[in-house]
Amino acid sequence: MAIQYPAKVRTSVFRRLSRALITAGLTVAFAGSTRLHLQAQSAPSALPTIADRAAFEAETLQHYQALLRLDTSSPPGNEIRAVEYLKQVFDREGIRYQVFAKDPQRPNIVVRLKGSGRKKPILVMGHTDVVTVDPSKWTFPPFSATRDGGYVYGRGTIDDKDNLVAGLMLVLSLKRSNTPLDRDVIFLAESGEEGAPDVGAQFMIDQHFDAIDAEFCLAEGGGVVRQGGKVVQANVGTTEKEPRPIELISRGPAGHGSVPNKNNALAHLSTAIDKVVAWVPPLRLNETTGAYFRKLSTIAPPERAKRYRDILSLDPKVSKAADEWLAFNEPQHWSMLHTSLVPTMISGGFRYNVIPSEAKVTLDVRLHPDEDQSRFLDQVRAVLNDPAVEVRWARDRYRPAGGSTLTTEAFKTIEAMVAKHYEAPVLPTMGTGATDMAQIRSKGVQCYGIGPATDQEDGQKGFGAHSDQERILESELHRFVRFQFEVVVALAGASR
C-alpha cells in the first residue's frame, strides 16, 4: 500500500531572493519584501529568463552538492534521504507535494504546479538513486561532491542528480516568478531507476498514474556531446532498447578433475558462449535510428559520413560492410542497430579438482524494440544447437519497449532550444541502456531524453554514468538548468 505523507505548506511567506528571477520585458517588484511579483511592461509573449545568474547558480550548486552527498546507492537505495531533503526545500518555499511509497525507505515525491488546464500537463523527472561504487577507484570520495578545476566530482553527477536538481530549480523558478501556465508542470523525483522500478516508475504508473499523467515527459536518456571542448551534437532520446537478461545453463556428469570428460558442463558452456558472441542478430532501422544516421552523416568527417550513409543502404552488401566496420570501431552505434547479447557473469565449480555438474552464464540482452520476444529464445537455441545447454529468460519483462515521435510540439521545442543554448544539431537517439521513460511511454506519454553536455573524451578517462568515476563541468550543469527551464516554459507557459 502506498504511504502518502502530508506536506507542511507555508503559503504566506516566500524566501526573499535578491534579483533572483526576471523575465524578458518584465520587471520585479516586491510587496513587503516577502513575496515576488512580476508585472508585464512589454513583449507580453516573451519567455521568462534567469537573471542574477551568479546568485541562482550558487543556489543550484548548493542543492546539487547536498543531493550528491546523500548516499542513495541502489541497492539498497535509501532514497528517503533525498526525498526528506526535497521536502525541506519545498516546505520552506510553500510548495505543495505528495509522497508515494511502496517501500517506506524508497519513496517518490511529486510536485504539481497548476496551470489553466488549456493543455495537458508536462512531466519532468529525475531519479534519486545512484549505482554502487568502488571507493578505491575514485580520486575524490564518491559522495563528497568535490569541486576541482571547474568540475564537480561524485556518484550521480550525470546519472541522475543533474536532472534531479534541474527539476528542483525549475519548480523553484516557476513558483517564485509566479509564471502563468497553460499546462500543469509536474515534477517527479522517482526511486529505483537503477534496477528496481517496482518501487519507482512502475509503482507510480500502476498505482498513482493520475498523479503524473501528462502529454509530454522530459527525463534522462539524452545529452549534449562535446569534442575537444566544443559542442558537436545534441542527442535526444526518443526510444530505447529493452533490457531482459538471458541465462545459459549447461549440465553434465560431475567427476574427478583428473579424468577428462567429453560432457564437461564448463566445456559445453564455453562453446555456447563463443557461439552466442559470434552471432549477429539482424540489422534493424526504425524512425529514430534512420533519422539519427541520416543527420549524423551530414556533420561527420567524410569517411565516417560514408559509413553512416551506407548503413541506410537498401543494398545488403553495402550495409553489411558498414555494419561490420561499426562493430569494431563504433560499437555504441552498432548496438543501436541490433539486439545485443553480452556475457557478463559466469559461475560454475567449487574446487579445482572437481568437474561441476552445472555451469551458468548470464547474458545482458538488450532487445531491439522490434524484436519478437516470443521467438527470441528459440533463435538463441538454434544458434547454440546443444541440448545440454538450457536457454531461459533470467527475469520477466520490466522495461517495456516503446518510442516517441519526432513530430510533436515537444520535440520541435527541444530542437529550437538546443539551437539557442548549444548551437548544435539535434539527433533523435535510441538509447542502448534503459531509463524510466520506458514505463512512462507504456502509458502513451511522449517522452524525450535530455541531459547536460559532457566531453566525449571523458569515457576514455574513466568518467561516465556507471563508470569508475563521474564528473560534470559546473558551467554545463548551469547551462542545462537554463535550457530545461526554457523548454518547459515554451511548452507550458500561458499564451497571451
Side-chain angles (χ1 to χ4, degrees):
M1 179 178 292
I3 302 171
Q4 299 191 35
Y5 303 91
K8 297 178 181 178
V9 182
R10 298 178 222 161
T11 57
S12 61
V13 179
F14 285 85
R15 182 158 54 95
R16 182 177 181 179
L17 284 177
S18 173
R19 298 180 304 140
L21 293 170
I22 196 168
T23 61
L26 302 180
T27 60
V28 181
F30 289 88
S33 76
T34 59
R35 185 180 293 270
L36 210 67
H37 292 277
L38 299 178
Q39 182 177 12
Q41 287 190 332
S42 61
S45 63
L47 297 178
T49 60
I50 297 169
D52 190 12
R53 184 170 295 179
F56 188 84
E57 291 182 355
E59 184 184 5
T60 300
L61 199 57
Q62 176 188 348
H63 290 311
Y64 186 54
Q65 287 183 288
L67 289 165
L68 289 170
R69 287 168 179 154
L70 301 173
D71 183 353
T72 52
S73 301
S74 179
N78 289 322
E79 293 95 327
I80 192 170
R81 297 168 178 169
V83 169
E84 289 297 327
Y85 180 86
L86 294 172
K87 286 169 61 180
Q88 292 174 20
V89 176
F90 295 143
D91 283 343
R92 288 196 301 268
E93 298 284 336
I95 296 174
R96 294 182 180 273
Y97 55 79
Q98 292 177 288
V99 178
F100 304 96
K102 181 179 181 181
D103 177 341
Q105 296 302 307
R106 311 195 72 176
N108 309 273
I109 187 167
V110 177
V111 168
R112 180 186 292 262
L113 299 180
K114 295 291 290 183
S116 67
R118 290 183 60 197
K119 298 180 181 179
K120 287 191 65 177
I122 181 169
L123 171 66
V124 177
M125 298 169 59
H127 64 83
T128 52
D129 59 329
V130 299
V131 292
T132 53
V133 300
D134 178 354
S136 67
K137 301 288 181 66
W138 288 72
T139 303
F140 302 104
F143 297 103
S144 65
T146 298
R147 299 172 68 189
D148 185 74
Y151 289 89
V152 180
Y153 291 79
R155 179 57 91 210
T157 49
I158 58 172
D159 185 16
D160 178 42
K161 291 180 178 177
D162 51 340
N163 276 277
L164 183 63
V165 80
L168 171 61
M169 298 311 294
L170 168 71
V171 168
L172 298 183
S173 300
L174 293 175
K175 176 68 173 179
R176 291 169 181 168
S177 62
N178 197 27
T179 302
L181 302 169
D182 278 344
R183 302 179 189 269
D184 289 4
V185 174
I186 306 169
F187 173 47
L188 167 63
E190 83 273 21
S191 64
E193 194 278 341
E194 302 293 357
D198 58 298
V199 301
Q202 191 66 49
F203 167 69
M204 290 301 297
I205 67 167
D206 288 344
Q207 301 296 327
H208 302 287
F209 184 62
D210 59 328
I212 59 171
D213 187 12
E215 180 177 7
F216 302 125
C217 164
L218 302 177
E220 66 169 346
V224 177
V225 179
R226 298 184 359 149
Q227 291 178 354
K230 180 182 177 182
V231 170
V232 293
Q233 67 191 68
N235 297 331
V236 175
T238 55
T239 187
E240 58 193 51
K241 298 170 77 174
E242 181 174 349
R244 195 177 180 189
I246 285 176
E247 293 176 340
L248 307 182
I249 303 171
S250 176
R251 297 181 176 89
H256 198 287
S258 65
V259 180
N261 187 331
K262 295 297 184 183
N263 292 314
N264 185 309
L266 282 172
H268 274 269
L269 187 64
S270 177
T271 301
I273 293 171
D274 283 344
K275 288 181 179 179
V276 81
V277 169
W279 180 41
V280 179
L283 185 155
R284 290 185 172 92
L285 289 164
N286 55 28
E287 180 190 23
T288 289
T289 53
Y292 177 87
F293 284 103
R294 277 192 297 273
K295 239 179 176 180
L296 191 59
S297 70
T298 66
I299 61 175
E303 182 181 350
R304 286 169 50 211
K306 181 180 184 304
R307 308 280 188 184
Y308 304 144
R309 289 193 297 271
D310 287 349
I311 277 292
L312 304 172
S313 174
L314 298 177
D315 184 339
K317 291 183 179 179
V318 174
S319 60
K320 182 180 179 181
D323 191 43
E324 290 175 347
W325 184 87
L326 290 179
F328 284 96
N329 296 279
E330 297 179 4
Q332 179 78 12
H333 281 149
W334 184 93
S335 188
M336 290 171 62
L337 297 164
H338 301 265
T339 290
S340 60
L341 304 88
V342 178
T344 53
M345 296 189 295
I346 190 166
S347 62
F350 59 94
R351 284 181 63 96
Y352 82 94
N353 61 353
V354 175
I355 299 173
S357 60
E358 184 174 301
K360 180 176 74 174
V361 65
T362 301
L363 307 174
D364 182 356
V365 179
R366 303 294 170 132
L367 295 144
H368 193 281
D370 298 333
E371 192 69 68
D372 183 351
Q373 296 189 37
S374 66
R375 298 178 54 247
F376 190 70
L377 290 187
D378 287 335
Q379 291 178 273
V380 177
R381 294 184 185 108
V383 169
L384 302 185
N385 191 29
D386 187 344
V389 179
E390 178 187 359
V391 181
R392 69 187 187 192
W393 295 115
R395 66 179 299 171
D396 293 333
R397 298 181 70 174
Y398 73 106
R399 297 278 197 192
S404 303
T405 68
L406 313 184
T407 57
T408 63
E409 179 188 1
F411 188 79
K412 292 175 182 177
T413 299
I414 292 170
E415 284 187 306
M417 291 304 166
V418 166
K420 175 180 177 180
H421 288 270
Y422 295 98
E423 298 181 347
V426 169
L427 278 65
T429 305
M430 182 168 77
T432 56
T435 73
D436 282 340
M437 286 191 293
Q439 272 75 19
I440 309 302
R441 285 189 181 118
S442 74
K443 302 296 285 187
V445 180
Q446 295 286 300
C447 293
Y448 298 94
I450 58 176
T454 56
D455 291 319
Q456 192 171 62
E457 297 86 352
D458 260 10
Q460 300 166 1
K461 299 174 183 177
F463 296 100
H466 295 218
S467 192
D468 284 343
Q469 301 190 77
E470 279 182 69
R471 68 179 185 179
I472 190 172
L473 278 166
E474 292 182 19
S475 59
E476 291 300 349
L477 172 68
H478 297 310
R479 177 155 55 163
F480 175 62
V481 170
R482 296 192 299 271
F483 163 76
Q484 187 195 73
F485 175 81
E486 292 206 22
V487 169
V488 172
V489 172
L491 286 168
S495 56
R496 296 178 175 87

